[in-house]
Amino acid sequence: MPLSKKLQELVDKISEQRGTLLDSVSGLTDAQLSHKASETDWSISDVLNHVSLADEANAKLTSNFVKRARAATPPPDPSPSESVINSMDEF
């Protein structure tokens, strides 16, 4: 079953941002990626690993929520064409 327009919009935005992040570090050397300003700081590699783990966890969580929502047969979305990308900006 295809994703709803809103969910697909979010997936596309996350993919776009992931690509931007990877592009921003693609030219760095191993030394730059592993550099830590101090012993307690994170390197760029540490941050990328953390982002990767969080991304994987969020994908699993989202998948489980979508499965549960489809099984519960929620009511139709009253505004299926409305964008949700900036919806959190309202809070």
Short mmCIF file of all heavy atoms in Angstrom, two decimals, residues 43-88:
data_model
loop_
_atom_site.label_atom_id
_atom_site.label_comp_id
_atom_site.label_asym_id
_atom_site.label_seq_id
_atom_site.Cartn_x
_atom_site.Cartn_y
_atom_site.Cartn_z
N SER A 43 33.32 13.49 17.63
CA SER A 43 33.88 13.76 16.31
C SER A 43 32.71 13.84 15.32
O SER A 43 31.57 13.48 15.64
CB SER A 43 34.83 12.64 15.89
OG SER A 43 34.10 11.44 15.67
N ILE A 44 33.02 14.27 14.12
CA ILE A 44 31.99 14.27 13.07
C ILE A 44 31.50 12.85 12.82
O ILE A 44 30.30 12.62 12.66
CB ILE A 44 32.53 14.93 11.79
CG1 ILE A 44 32.82 16.41 12.02
CG2 ILE A 44 31.56 14.75 10.63
CD1 ILE A 44 33.55 17.11 10.90
N SER A 45 32.42 11.89 12.83
CA SER A 45 32.03 10.48 12.66
C SER A 45 31.09 10.02 13.77
O SER A 45 30.12 9.29 13.51
CB SER A 45 33.26 9.57 12.65
OG SER A 45 33.89 9.60 11.42
N ASP A 46 31.36 10.44 14.99
CA ASP A 46 30.48 10.10 16.11
C ASP A 46 29.07 10.66 15.88
O ASP A 46 28.07 9.97 16.11
CB ASP A 46 31.03 10.65 17.43
CG ASP A 46 32.31 9.99 17.88
OD1 ASP A 46 32.57 8.83 17.48
OD2 ASP A 46 33.07 10.64 18.63
N VAL A 47 29.01 11.90 15.44
CA VAL A 47 27.72 12.54 15.19
C VAL A 47 26.98 11.83 14.06
O VAL A 47 25.78 11.54 14.17
CB VAL A 47 27.89 14.05 14.88
CG1 VAL A 47 26.57 14.67 14.44
CG2 VAL A 47 28.47 14.78 16.09
N LEU A 48 27.70 11.53 12.98
CA LEU A 48 27.07 10.83 11.86
C LEU A 48 26.55 9.45 12.27
O LEU A 48 25.46 9.04 11.85
CB LEU A 48 28.05 10.69 10.69
CG LEU A 48 28.43 12.00 10.00
CD1 LEU A 48 29.52 11.74 8.96
CD2 LEU A 48 27.23 12.67 9.38
N ASN A 49 27.31 8.75 13.10
CA ASN A 49 26.85 7.46 13.60
C ASN A 49 25.59 7.62 14.45
O ASN A 49 24.64 6.84 14.32
CB ASN A 49 27.96 6.77 14.40
CG ASN A 49 27.56 5.39 14.84
OD1 ASN A 49 27.21 4.54 14.02
ND2 ASN A 49 27.60 5.15 16.14
N HIS A 50 25.58 8.62 15.30
CA HIS A 50 24.41 8.88 16.14
C HIS A 50 23.19 9.19 15.28
O HIS A 50 22.09 8.67 15.51
CB HIS A 50 24.71 10.04 17.09
CG HIS A 50 23.55 10.42 17.95
ND1 HIS A 50 23.18 9.69 19.06
CD2 HIS A 50 22.68 11.45 17.86
CE1 HIS A 50 22.11 10.25 19.62
NE2 HIS A 50 21.80 11.32 18.91
N VAL A 51 23.37 10.04 14.27
CA VAL A 51 22.27 10.40 13.37
C VAL A 51 21.77 9.15 12.64
O VAL A 51 20.56 8.93 12.50
CB VAL A 51 22.71 11.49 12.37
CG1 VAL A 51 21.67 11.67 11.27
CG2 VAL A 51 22.94 12.81 13.09
N SER A 52 22.69 8.30 12.22
CA SER A 52 22.32 7.07 11.53
C SER A 52 21.50 6.14 12.42
O SER A 52 20.48 5.58 12.00
CB SER A 52 23.57 6.35 11.05
OG SER A 52 23.26 5.11 10.47
N LEU A 53 21.93 5.98 13.66
CA LEU A 53 21.20 5.13 14.60
C LEU A 53 19.81 5.70 14.91
O LEU A 53 18.82 4.96 14.97
CB LEU A 53 22.00 4.96 15.90
CG LEU A 53 23.29 4.16 15.79
CD1 LEU A 53 24.07 4.23 17.10
CD2 LEU A 53 23.01 2.72 15.39
N ALA A 54 19.74 7.01 15.08
CA ALA A 54 18.45 7.66 15.34
C ALA A 54 17.53 7.54 14.13
O ALA A 54 16.33 7.29 14.27
CB ALA A 54 18.66 9.12 15.71
N ASP A 55 18.10 7.69 12.95
CA ASP A 55 17.33 7.56 11.71
C ASP A 55 16.75 6.16 11.57
O ASP A 55 15.58 5.98 11.24
CB ASP A 55 18.24 7.89 10.53
CG ASP A 55 17.51 8.14 9.24
OD1 ASP A 55 16.38 8.69 9.29
OD2 ASP A 55 18.05 7.82 8.17
N GLU A 56 17.56 5.16 11.87
CA GLU A 56 17.10 3.76 11.80
C GLU A 56 15.99 3.50 12.82
O GLU A 56 14.98 2.87 12.51
CB GLU A 56 18.28 2.82 12.05
CG GLU A 56 17.93 1.37 11.94
CD GLU A 56 19.13 0.46 12.17
OE1 GLU A 56 20.27 0.89 11.96
OE2 GLU A 56 18.90 -0.70 12.58
N ALA A 57 16.16 3.99 14.03
CA ALA A 57 15.15 3.80 15.07
C ALA A 57 13.85 4.51 14.69
O ALA A 57 12.76 3.95 14.87
CB ALA A 57 15.66 4.33 16.41
N ASN A 58 13.96 5.72 14.16
CA ASN A 58 12.76 6.46 13.74
C ASN A 58 12.05 5.77 12.59
O ASN A 58 10.82 5.75 12.53
CB ASN A 58 13.12 7.89 13.37
CG ASN A 58 13.38 8.75 14.58
OD1 ASN A 58 12.83 8.53 15.65
ND2 ASN A 58 14.26 9.72 14.43
N ALA A 59 12.80 5.18 11.67
CA ALA A 59 12.19 4.47 10.55
C ALA A 59 11.41 3.26 11.05
O ALA A 59 10.28 3.01 10.60
CB ALA A 59 13.26 4.03 9.55
N LYS A 60 11.97 2.52 11.99
CA LYS A 60 11.27 1.36 12.56
C LYS A 60 10.02 1.80 13.32
O LYS A 60 8.95 1.18 13.20
CB LYS A 60 12.20 0.58 13.49
CG LYS A 60 13.27 -0.19 12.77
CD LYS A 60 14.19 -0.89 13.75
CE LYS A 60 15.32 -1.59 13.03
NZ LYS A 60 16.27 -2.23 13.95
N LEU A 61 10.15 2.85 14.09
CA LEU A 61 9.02 3.36 14.87
C LEU A 61 7.90 3.83 13.94
O LEU A 61 6.73 3.50 14.14
CB LEU A 61 9.49 4.51 15.76
CG LEU A 61 8.47 5.11 16.72
CD1 LEU A 61 8.00 4.08 17.73
CD2 LEU A 61 9.08 6.31 17.43
N THR A 62 8.27 4.57 12.91
CA THR A 62 7.29 5.07 11.95
C THR A 62 6.60 3.91 11.24
O THR A 62 5.38 3.92 11.07
CB THR A 62 7.95 6.01 10.93
OG1 THR A 62 8.53 7.11 11.63
CG2 THR A 62 6.95 6.53 9.92
N SER A 63 7.37 2.92 10.84
CA SER A 63 6.80 1.75 10.18
C SER A 63 5.78 1.05 11.08
O SER A 63 4.69 0.67 10.63
CB SER A 63 7.91 0.78 9.79
OG SER A 63 7.39 -0.38 9.20
N ASN A 64 6.11 0.90 12.35
CA ASN A 64 5.18 0.27 13.30
C ASN A 64 3.92 1.11 13.48
O ASN A 64 2.81 0.57 13.55
CB ASN A 64 5.86 0.04 14.64
CG ASN A 64 6.85 -1.10 14.60
OD1 ASN A 64 6.73 -2.01 13.78
ND2 ASN A 64 7.85 -1.06 15.46
N PHE A 65 4.08 2.43 13.56
CA PHE A 65 2.91 3.30 13.69
C PHE A 65 2.00 3.23 12.46
O PHE A 65 0.78 3.21 12.58
CB PHE A 65 3.32 4.75 13.94
CG PHE A 65 3.70 5.05 15.37
CD1 PHE A 65 4.77 5.89 15.65
CD2 PHE A 65 3.00 4.50 16.44
CE1 PHE A 65 5.12 6.17 16.95
CE2 PHE A 65 3.35 4.78 17.75
CZ PHE A 65 4.42 5.62 18.00
N VAL A 66 2.61 3.19 11.29
CA VAL A 66 1.82 3.11 10.04
C VAL A 66 1.06 1.79 10.01
O VAL A 66 -0.14 1.77 9.68
CB VAL A 66 2.73 3.28 8.81
CG1 VAL A 66 1.99 2.91 7.54
CG2 VAL A 66 3.25 4.71 8.72
N LYS A 67 1.71 0.69 10.37
CA LYS A 67 1.04 -0.62 10.39
C LYS A 67 -0.15 -0.61 11.37
O LYS A 67 -1.24 -1.09 11.04
CB LYS A 67 2.02 -1.72 10.78
CG LYS A 67 2.99 -2.08 9.70
CD LYS A 67 3.97 -3.13 10.20
CE LYS A 67 5.08 -3.33 9.19
NZ LYS A 67 6.14 -4.21 9.69
N ARG A 68 0.08 -0.05 12.55
CA ARG A 68 -1.00 0.01 13.55
C ARG A 68 -2.14 0.91 13.10
O ARG A 68 -3.31 0.58 13.29
CB ARG A 68 -0.44 0.49 14.89
CG ARG A 68 0.44 -0.56 15.56
CD ARG A 68 1.14 -0.07 16.79
NE ARG A 68 0.22 0.44 17.79
CZ ARG A 68 0.57 1.18 18.83
NH1 ARG A 68 1.84 1.49 19.00
NH2 ARG A 68 -0.31 1.60 19.68
N ALA A 69 -1.79 2.02 12.48
CA ALA A 69 -2.83 2.95 12.01
C ALA A 69 -3.66 2.31 10.91
O ALA A 69 -4.89 2.45 10.89
CB ALA A 69 -2.20 4.25 11.52
N ARG A 70 -3.01 1.62 9.99
CA ARG A 70 -3.75 0.97 8.90
C ARG A 70 -4.65 -0.14 9.44
O ARG A 70 -5.77 -0.31 8.96
CB ARG A 70 -2.78 0.42 7.87
CG ARG A 70 -2.18 1.52 7.02
CD ARG A 70 -1.25 1.00 5.97
NE ARG A 70 -0.80 2.09 5.11
CZ ARG A 70 0.31 2.08 4.43
NH1 ARG A 70 1.11 1.03 4.46
NH2 ARG A 70 0.64 3.11 3.68
N ALA A 71 -4.19 -0.87 10.45
CA ALA A 71 -4.99 -1.93 11.04
C ALA A 71 -6.20 -1.36 11.78
O ALA A 71 -7.24 -2.00 11.85
CB ALA A 71 -4.13 -2.77 11.99
N ALA A 72 -6.06 -0.16 12.30
CA ALA A 72 -7.15 0.46 13.06
C ALA A 72 -8.15 1.18 12.16
O ALA A 72 -9.16 1.67 12.64
CB ALA A 72 -6.58 1.46 14.07
N THR A 73 -7.88 1.22 10.87
CA THR A 73 -8.70 1.92 9.88
C THR A 73 -9.15 3.31 10.38
O THR A 73 -10.32 3.51 10.72
CB THR A 73 -9.92 1.08 9.45
OG1 THR A 73 -10.70 0.74 10.60
CG2 THR A 73 -9.51 -0.16 8.69
N PRO A 74 -8.22 4.23 10.43
CA PRO A 74 -8.56 5.59 10.89
C PRO A 74 -9.50 6.28 9.92
O PRO A 74 -9.62 5.87 8.76
CB PRO A 74 -7.21 6.29 10.92
CG PRO A 74 -6.39 5.57 9.91
CD PRO A 74 -6.86 4.14 9.95
N PRO A 75 -10.18 7.32 10.37
CA PRO A 75 -11.07 8.06 9.47
C PRO A 75 -10.24 8.75 8.39
O PRO A 75 -9.04 8.96 8.55
CB PRO A 75 -11.73 9.09 10.39
CG PRO A 75 -10.80 9.23 11.54
CD PRO A 75 -10.13 7.90 11.70
N PRO A 76 -10.87 9.11 7.28
CA PRO A 76 -10.15 9.79 6.21
C PRO A 76 -9.54 11.10 6.69
O PRO A 76 -10.09 11.79 7.55
CB PRO A 76 -11.22 10.05 5.14
CG PRO A 76 -12.37 9.21 5.51
CD PRO A 76 -12.28 8.90 6.97
N ASP A 77 -8.41 11.44 6.13
CA ASP A 77 -7.73 12.70 6.43
C ASP A 77 -8.59 13.85 5.87
O ASP A 77 -8.87 13.87 4.69
CB ASP A 77 -6.34 12.70 5.79
CG ASP A 77 -5.51 13.90 6.15
OD1 ASP A 77 -6.06 14.89 6.66
OD2 ASP A 77 -4.28 13.86 5.90
N PRO A 78 -8.97 14.81 6.71
CA PRO A 78 -9.82 15.90 6.24
C PRO A 78 -9.09 16.87 5.31
O PRO A 78 -9.73 17.65 4.59
CB PRO A 78 -10.27 16.61 7.52
CG PRO A 78 -9.22 16.26 8.52
CD PRO A 78 -8.71 14.90 8.14
N SER A 79 -7.76 16.84 5.31
CA SER A 79 -6.99 17.75 4.44
C SER A 79 -5.81 16.99 3.83
O SER A 79 -4.66 17.28 4.14
CB SER A 79 -6.51 18.96 5.23
OG SER A 79 -5.75 18.54 6.35
N PRO A 80 -6.09 16.01 2.95
CA PRO A 80 -5.03 15.14 2.44
C PRO A 80 -3.97 15.84 1.59
O PRO A 80 -2.86 15.35 1.47
CB PRO A 80 -5.78 14.11 1.61
CG PRO A 80 -7.05 14.78 1.24
CD PRO A 80 -7.38 15.69 2.38
N SER A 81 -4.28 17.00 1.04
CA SER A 81 -3.33 17.69 0.17
C SER A 81 -2.50 18.75 0.90
O SER A 81 -1.60 19.34 0.32
CB SER A 81 -4.06 18.36 -0.99
OG SER A 81 -4.68 17.38 -1.77
N GLU A 82 -2.81 18.98 2.16
CA GLU A 82 -2.12 20.01 2.94
C GLU A 82 -0.73 19.53 3.34
O GLU A 82 -0.54 18.38 3.72
CB GLU A 82 -2.94 20.29 4.19
CG GLU A 82 -2.86 21.71 4.68
CD GLU A 82 -3.86 21.92 5.81
OE1 GLU A 82 -5.03 22.19 5.52
OE2 GLU A 82 -3.44 21.79 6.98
N SER A 83 0.25 20.41 3.26
CA SER A 83 1.62 20.08 3.65
C SER A 83 1.73 20.01 5.17
O SER A 83 1.06 20.74 5.89
CB SER A 83 2.59 21.14 3.12
OG SER A 83 3.90 20.88 3.60
N VAL A 84 2.59 19.11 5.64
CA VAL A 84 2.83 18.99 7.07
C VAL A 84 4.27 19.34 7.44
O VAL A 84 4.64 19.28 8.60
CB VAL A 84 2.50 17.57 7.59
CG1 VAL A 84 1.03 17.29 7.47
CG2 VAL A 84 3.32 16.52 6.87
N ILE A 85 5.06 19.71 6.45
CA ILE A 85 6.48 19.95 6.68
C ILE A 85 6.71 21.01 7.75
O ILE A 85 7.56 20.85 8.62
CB ILE A 85 7.20 20.33 5.37
CG1 ILE A 85 7.24 19.13 4.43
CG2 ILE A 85 8.60 20.85 5.63
CD1 ILE A 85 8.01 17.93 4.94
N ASN A 86 5.98 22.09 7.73
CA ASN A 86 6.22 23.16 8.69
C ASN A 86 5.22 23.16 9.85
O ASN A 86 5.14 24.11 10.61
CB ASN A 86 6.15 24.52 7.98
CG ASN A 86 7.26 24.65 6.95
OD1 ASN A 86 8.39 24.29 7.21
ND2 ASN A 86 6.93 25.14 5.78
N SER A 87 4.50 22.05 10.03
CA SER A 87 3.47 22.02 11.06
C SER A 87 4.02 22.15 12.47
O SER A 87 3.36 22.67 13.35
CB SER A 87 2.63 20.74 10.93
OG SER A 87 3.44 19.60 11.10
N MET A 88 5.23 21.67 12.72
CA MET A 88 5.81 21.78 14.06
C MET A 88 6.26 23.20 14.37
O MET A 88 6.51 23.54 15.52
CB MET A 88 6.98 20.81 14.23
CG MET A 88 6.55 19.35 14.24
SD MET A 88 5.33 18.97 15.52
CE MET A 88 6.31 19.18 16.99
#
